[in-house]
Amino acid sequence: MEAAMGLMRRIPPKNSATALSALLSLLPDQSSNLLSQIDQPLEVLCDMDCGKQFLLCEYNRDADSYRSPWSNKYHPPLDDGLYPSPELRKLEIEANDVFAIYRDQYYEGGTSSVYAWEGDNGGFAACFLIKKDGSRTGHGRRGYLQEGSWDAIHVIEVGAEEEGRVHYCLTSTIMLSLTTNTEASGSGTFNLSGSIRRQMNMDLSVEENRLCSMGRMIEEMESKLRYSLDQVYFGKTKEMICTLRPPSEVVQMTMPDT
Amino acid sequence: MADEESQELSDKQKKEIAKWFLVNSPAGEIQYVAKDVRSILMDEDVYNMAVSEAFPLYNKAHLIFLEMPNRSGEVIVTSFGELSVNEYLDPRTAQVATVDHIKQACTVVRPATDEELPSVYIEDFRCALDAEVIKYVGETYPKGVCSVYCVNGKDVEGPGSNFELAVVISAARNSPQNFCNGTWRSIWNVGFKDDPQMIEVTGKIQVGAHYFEEGNVQLDAEHECMDSTIFQHPEDCAIAIANIIRHHETEYMASLEVSYSKLPDTTFKDLRRKLPVTRTLFPWHNTLQISLTRDITKELGIGK
């Protein structure tokens, strides 16, 4: 298992789906472990009832069917599928509506889905999913990307009330890949792909609406992850390129140095 | 529950999967990948088959360079210099290096035979170009190596025939302690045409970088370009070709920097904006009400 995680840390993130299925076939006994620890790009299905798309993950899966957050029906239909309690379903409906607006404001397109389920010791859990195709043939408003995918998976565990406080534990994964054309004579592509996962814990007052609390945490986390991908991770790869081949001005400047 | 139905893989399938992981290793990381693959396979025979097939492919694709034992510099592992599975020509020193692909080391060298080397006529062009490229690579890549091979017409004895050289430049930086590895590889095919007296240059540059501290982010960039110059004396050809290489690589490096500088505010924005279209943080408390009166929001249009 450790070796499998080691491989996932090295294999190009844009090949992660192939890598995961390769690991699953090599380590069939570890399949549930692998599936729970390795995130992979989200898949989309269309809800036949309302024509809206929804996202698939382990949390809305039962046997080989997936539950749509819009119609609450399994696709393909399932006789004895699992459903959240009426109370949780209410929260789920609300969360899907609000999160769709959030998604539209930050992503200007894309697909989102929220699923809730009963947690251990009186709490509950929910996952908030976003998938965006930012390519110029997809939802890329500005048309800069030849290829561009973003998958965000936020799993949040909400504890039971304890002395007026509620514990929230958020685990977020972002996977992305973007490809642009090189802007030099000739032809070429410039691709950056990556995946990072972070966790955030908070104790918040019961007074605050749960959905608001979850939403704020996710918003803060997404902004942090976007920032570190952009500034830290992409920045490090650029630094590496500049070490391999220092830009000419730098060479001239450092030449007289001792 | 459904695990029973997954059928056993054959050794050949296992080997192919192992090979896939190995060949797709990022620059400078195949040894780490091999270690993990070995412990996942738990089958030494399959592992040995996979590494013996994958390492030569990876080494050649990554243009790895290995120190030769007699302090005569480095030999580049490339198909241009490949005489047999583990013998690689170093044209500069006219030596043939025996390479242990899996250890990624050069074990012995021997002088190249006359048949393995180009004719004197070709050697004049090759040598002159090598000297110019060494100068350029020395100025440009702090840890770069280069070599010039004759890939076509090595037995041409004098004017009147076409021949082709290939310039290989490889620079690598591995710093696993900083969770960062990278390579710059370029291959320039230089076709000397007798009629008309032209030299056609096609280049392919590949740049890769991997940063993996608490994450996995990789750059993978490729570029192809073409240029040409006139067929002259070896020294003049060498200078002209080296200038073409310098010009295109410098331009390409600048374009990489442009691609990076456009990321934060342009390119990345098509995936996710820094701030919502409203330019303020999302009003979670208000939208709860909005969601209760969904129909109204729909009429007003989403956002504002």
Side-chain angles (χ1 to χ4, degrees):
Chain A
M1 200 51 214
E2 207 176 297
M5 296 311 287
L7 285 180
M8 292 309 297
R9 218 157 59 104
R10 299 193 187 273
I11 217 72
K14 54 177 185 236
N15 296 342
S16 66
T18 318
L20 178 61
S21 55
L23 287 173
L24 286 170
S25 54
L26 286 178
L27 301 166
D29 300 342
Q30 299 280 346
S31 61
S32 61
N33 245 340
L34 288 167
L35 286 170
S36 69
Q37 290 193 45
I38 300 169
D39 290 305
Q40 52 181 328
L42 298 160
E43 285 186 60
V44 187
L45 212 59
C46 187
D47 185 328
M48 293 311 175
D49 273 33
C50 58
K52 275 167 101 175
Q53 295 194 311
F54 66 101
L55 299 170
L56 316 186
C57 68
E58 281 299 291
Y59 304 109
N60 65 331
R61 184 179 69 88
D62 195 348
D64 292 325
S65 294
Y66 292 89
R67 186 171 60 88
S68 160
W70 314 118
S71 65
N72 203 26
K73 285 183 183 158
Y74 274 94
H75 293 64
L78 196 67
D79 284 341
D80 52 352
L82 275 171
Y83 291 93
S85 67
E87 203 188 336
L88 264 186
R89 175 61 191 154
K90 215 180 121 215
L91 177 105
E92 198 182 77
I93 293 172
E94 205 178 334
N96 273 290
D97 285 342
V98 177
F99 204 55
I101 304 171
Y102 167 87
R103 190 243 313 135
D104 222 68
Q105 291 201 355
Y106 271 103
Y107 291 85
E108 305 171 280
T111 310
S112 58
S113 294
V114 181
Y115 303 102
W117 63 96
E118 267 78 34
D120 306 328
N121 44 45
F124 70 97
C127 71
F128 292 73
L129 313 172
I130 292 180
K131 185 177 189 70
K132 163 99 189 260
D133 173 2
S135 69
R136 60 176 83 102
T137 50
H139 283 165
R141 282 271 177 107
R142 295 157 197 87
Y144 292 118
L145 297 172
Q146 193 185 314
E147 175 269 343
S149 65
W150 171 287
D151 290 90
I153 301 172
H154 305 282
V155 178
I156 188 156
E157 288 166 63
V158 183
E161 183 191 335
E162 232 173 278
E163 293 167 9
R165 316 280 298 167
V166 176
H167 184 73
Y168 294 82
C169 175
L170 168 66
T171 308
S172 300
T173 305
I174 302 244
M175 282 162 281
L176 86 174
S177 170
L178 56 92
T179 308
T180 56
N181 298 326
T182 25
E183 303 183 35
S185 55
S187 64
T189 51
F190 174 88
N191 169 264
L192 280 164
S193 67
S195 89
I196 52 172
R197 180 192 268 209
R198 292 288 184 277
Q199 206 168 68
M200 182 195 268
N201 283 284
M202 270 186 174
D203 284 306
L204 298 169
S205 159
V206 281
E207 301 295 316
E208 203 184 347
N209 179 294
R210 308 265 154 108
L211 188 51
C212 277
S213 305
M214 293 193 285
R216 283 210 190 91
M217 277 177 81
I218 288 169
E219 184 174 21
E220 189 185 332
M221 180 69 112
E222 272 199 345
S223 299
K224 271 188 184 164
L225 292 179
R226 185 199 189 277
Y227 178 84
S228 53
L229 278 166
D230 184 11
Q231 298 295 311
V232 183
Y233 284 81
F234 292 171
K236 287 281 182 184
T237 62
K238 183 187 176 196
E239 234 173 70
M240 173 52 79
I241 308 304
C242 292
T243 339
L244 287 167
R245 192 189 200 282
S248 37
E249 303 88 314
V250 181
V251 176
Q252 277 153 19
M253 272 162 51
T254 52
M255 285 264 257
D257 241 22
T258 43
Chain B
M1 35 179 185
D3 280 350
E4 283 86 2
E5 33 184 279
S6 59
Q7 68 270 58
E8 272 288 299
L9 291 176
S10 69
D11 281 358
K12 190 162 179 283
Q13 286 171 311
K14 283 188 191 169
K15 183 202 75 187
E16 288 304 319
I17 294 176
K19 233 176 103 179
W20 181 84
F21 276 108
L22 292 162
V23 173
N24 282 290
S25 309
E29 296 178 34
I30 191 171
Q31 299 292 0
Y32 300 94
V33 170
K35 203 173 143 247
D36 288 336
V37 165
R38 187 180 210 157
S39 68
I40 288 173
L41 283 175
M42 290 189 299
D43 184 330
E44 285 301 293
D45 291 340
V46 174
Y47 171 76
N48 287 330
M49 272 196 294
V51 289
S52 68
E53 288 178 28
F55 269 79
L57 293 174
Y58 176 91
N59 291 341
K60 282 187 277 180
H62 284 260
L63 304 173
I64 66 158
F65 42 95
L66 307 171
E67 189 122 2
M68 289 185 281
N70 57 353
R71 292 175 168 266
S72 51
E74 277 132 338
V75 59
I76 303 180
V77 178
T78 159
S79 50
F80 299 126
E82 189 177 23
L83 299 174
S84 72
V85 184
N86 46 21
E87 282 195 316
Y88 291 85
L89 175 71
D90 177 46
R92 189 175 303 144
T93 61
Q95 294 183 107
V96 174
T98 302
V99 164
D100 182 330
H101 278 289
I102 297 166
K103 288 192 181 138
Q104 297 185 314
C106 169
T107 47
V108 269
V109 289
R110 63 161 171 88
T113 62
D114 285 349
E115 292 77 59
E116 287 162 342
L117 295 172
S119 68
V120 177
Y121 171 70
I122 299 290
E123 194 57 17
D124 271 351
F125 286 92
R126 200 205 60 75
C127 223
L129 182 54
D130 193 35
E132 286 303 317
V133 176
I134 291 174
K135 240 188 272 173
Y136 160 66
V137 170
E139 287 163 8
T140 314
Y141 299 93
K143 285 206 172 147
V145 297
C146 58
S147 192
V148 181
Y149 301 85
C150 177
V151 294
N152 258 319
K154 78 178 178 62
D155 299 320
V156 171
E157 297 283 357
S161 299
N162 297 342
F163 62 96
E164 186 182 354
L165 301 180
V167 177
V168 174
I169 299 171
S170 177
R173 177 82 69 154
N174 297 320
S175 83
Q177 69 280 7
N178 297 318
F179 307 98
C180 211
N181 296 307
T183 58
W184 175 296
R185 290 163 270 167
S186 34
I187 293 173
W188 296 89
N189 280 79
V190 186
F192 292 74
K193 307 279 180 224
D194 180 63
D195 184 26
Q197 292 262 300
M198 288 295 291
I199 298 174
E200 281 167 12
V201 183
T202 55
K204 183 173 180 185
I205 308 174
Q206 282 178 285
V207 183
H210 183 204
Y211 180 64
F212 51 102
E213 183 169 20
E214 289 186 65
N216 177 0
V217 171
Q218 307 196 10
L219 164 76
D220 180 12
E222 259 187 48
H223 182 65
E224 284 181 35
C225 54
M226 287 173 86
D227 211 330
S228 62
T229 178
I230 44 168
F231 202 146
Q232 315 159 68
H233 291 295
E235 282 72 25
D236 296 328
C237 285
I239 292 170
I241 297 163
N243 278 337
I244 287 175
I245 295 176
R246 182 196 312 270
H247 166 74
H248 284 280
E249 292 196 348
T250 308
E251 190 189 51
Y252 182 56
M253 181 65 198
S255 90
L256 285 177
E257 291 185 278
V258 170
S259 296
Y260 272 112
S261 68
K262 281 191 175 170
L263 274 174
D265 297 314
T266 354
T267 335
F268 210 147
K269 209 173 182 178
D270 267 355
L271 287 183
R272 185 191 185 273
R273 303 170 56 95
K274 270 184 205 160
L275 278 174
V277 281
T278 55
R279 289 170 201 281
T280 52
L281 288 179
F282 191 72
W284 290 98
H285 45 280
N286 290 337
T287 39
L288 289 186
Q289 283 159 356
I290 293 173
S291 87
L292 296 175
T293 51
R294 253 181 295 172
D295 301 337
I296 298 170
T297 15
K298 267 187 193 150
E299 263 170 51
L300 294 174
I302 276 164
K304 62 173 179 181

